[in-house]
Amino acid sequence: MTALDLSSPVAVVGTGTMGQGIAQVALVAGHPVRLYDAAPGRAREAAAAIGARLDRLVEKERLTAAGRDAARARLLPVEELTGLADCALVVEAVLERLDVKQELFRALEDVVPDDCLLATNTSSLSVTAIGGALRLPGRFVGLHFFNPAPLLPLVEVVSGSATDVTSATRAYETARAWGKTPVACADTPGFIVNRVARPFYAEAFAVYESQGADPATIDAVLRESGGFRMGPFELTDLIGQDVNESVTHSVWRSFFQDARFTPSLAQRRLVESGRLGRKTGRGWYDHADGAERPEPHTADPAEPPAYVIAEGGLGPASELLALIREAGVEVRERDEDGGTRLVLPGGGKLVLADGRTTAEFRDVVHFDLALDYRGATRIALSHARHTSPAAVAEATGLFQALGKKVSVIGDVPGMIVARTVARIVDLAVEAVARGVATEDDVDTAMRLGVNYPLGPFEWIRRLGRGWAGELLDELHGIDPSGRCAPSLALHQYACAADEREDTP
């Protein structure tokens, strides 16, 4: 099954920001495009807005004047659904309400031919449930674009329970012909991106609610150590707290209130107070003109230790040993069964975040995971109240000697980056095990859909198959509420190493 022919008309129903963006994508690809909106005059306004964006593309030399004129000639706003009768594909981008979408598609079935592909751009509703109202549900798919649709490459092509393979394939190939990067996925709550991305927000909010660190510090650690383009607090302010919380609640309810998707009470209070982020001028941060952005916690300068003793290879943080030597700090190596830590001159120990609290040990300072310890500009440290100030100072001075800013947070098991990555990995592995998508498509979706520095399976290849499960086991042992419980799929994945040939 191939992509729709460029001569085939494409319709977009719903002419808000997303609808206009999808229409522009189809239009620039070369299709005749019909625009329809239930509000009188809205389709004509949307056509004018799209025309203005085409003008800007010409100004930026991304489109020729002739191409713009041809695209405008192919764009037709219509005032009645009957104006879509000759369309080969109709994409819906209306209100996120099941009844509204079902009613629309039932009406469309009375207008378009039986071979017309019908698609929803829903981000939170069940494709199966929307298509369940149709006479021919096999031709119904999800085409989930990301905002802004003309710029972001990812499209999730979602097959509902009744979707025909030929329909899903045609939708996939059409999205690719439009210059997008499609990924195929089954109809599951949140699809790929909104399902796997939940811990990025949830773990940050949980650290904040436990008073482990403030929003500015958590954002800075995830950006400067974890390699994420934006922190979760600044990102949800950009998205809108109400929008982000709505998706979280939708996924949580759809998974029958699975504790791993539990919404944040702190975010609920923001929404209740009307502090929705940039669009209202205030969210986690103050976005008023002239407002100062709070600075992340950064430790004062401290003296580096003269030497450290390396017990074990430090696992995922092994590149630190070379950096320490390059900084002029002596590294003394000592074999230690099961040891993966640095011992400081005063007797304190530096241990990579492993899901345990520092309160369990004497003079232990945990340090967080980093995407790239050489390139990271900030490292988070965590310690208990009884940890000696000397151990904290030596640990701080060591990382400062490596050219890193240091953020000292509370006694947070799993810290910030480590627990976030571990939970993302868990949900990704479980999604693949349940047939939602392939490993490659999950990685593609998370890199392109939310700009993650690595896909979950790329993290696994870097950290090892067992790393996330071991950390989550520790977290679940401390907090058996189920929030951080590792999935059975993650356990099975860790046991199924490529080289494993053992039999019981």
Side-chain angles (χ1 to χ4, degrees), residues 46-261:
I50 293 170
R53 284 200 289 274
L54 295 177
D55 288 339
R56 289 195 289 273
L57 290 179
V58 173
E59 293 170 3
K60 296 177 181 178
E61 299 183 348
R62 296 177 183 172
L63 183 67
T64 65
R68 173 199 60 196
D69 295 342
R72 280 179 167 169
R74 295 193 302 270
L75 182 60
L76 177 65
V78 300
E79 295 297 324
E80 302 291 338
L81 279 181
T82 52
L84 312 182
D86 64 339
C87 290
L89 166 64
V90 180
V91 183
E92 161 273 315
V94 302
L95 187 67
E96 283 285 276
R97 275 181 43 187
L98 179 61
D99 58 338
V100 171
K101 293 179 187 292
Q102 288 179 329
E103 182 180 353
L104 168 63
F105 282 110
R106 279 194 294 261
L108 282 168
E109 276 201 308
D110 293 335
V111 172
V112 299
D114 285 354
D115 61 351
C116 175
L117 191 63
L118 299 178
T120 175
N121 183 60
T122 185
S123 61
S124 60
L125 298 176
S126 164
V127 171
T128 300
I130 299 171
L134 300 182
R135 175 174 51 86
L136 298 173
R139 58 162 163 183
F140 187 72
V141 299
L143 276 178
H144 182 216
F145 290 77
F146 289 75
N147 194 28
L151 297 180
L152 294 186
L154 185 70
V155 177
E156 293 177 315
V157 181
V158 186
S159 293
S161 296
T163 302
D164 292 334
V165 173
T166 53
S167 298
T169 303
R170 171 153 283 185
Y172 184 98
E173 294 300 332
T174 297
R176 185 158 63 177
W178 290 358
K180 296 301 181 183
T181 303
V183 292
C185 65
D187 183 22
T188 186
F191 310 141
I192 300 173
V193 172
N194 280 329
R195 172 179 179 159
V196 177
R198 293 341 303 157
F200 181 69
Y201 311 107
E203 294 313 303
F205 297 162
V207 172
Y208 168 73
E209 289 175 340
S210 70
Q211 300 188 46
D214 60 277
T217 299
I218 296 169
D219 278 351
V221 170
L222 283 162
R223 285 195 316 269
E224 300 171 37
S225 183
F228 293 91
R229 184 166 298 183
M230 296 181 74
F233 294 92
E234 57 189 341
L235 180 55
T236 52
D237 266 3
L238 176 63
I239 295 169
Q241 298 302 331
D242 53 338
V243 174
N244 181 262
E245 192 206 29
S246 176
V247 173
T248 298
H249 271 268
S250 175
V251 173
W252 176 61
R253 288 192 301 268
S254 296
F255 278 115
F256 307 105
Q257 300 185 4
D258 186 329
R260 293 176 301 164
F261 299 99

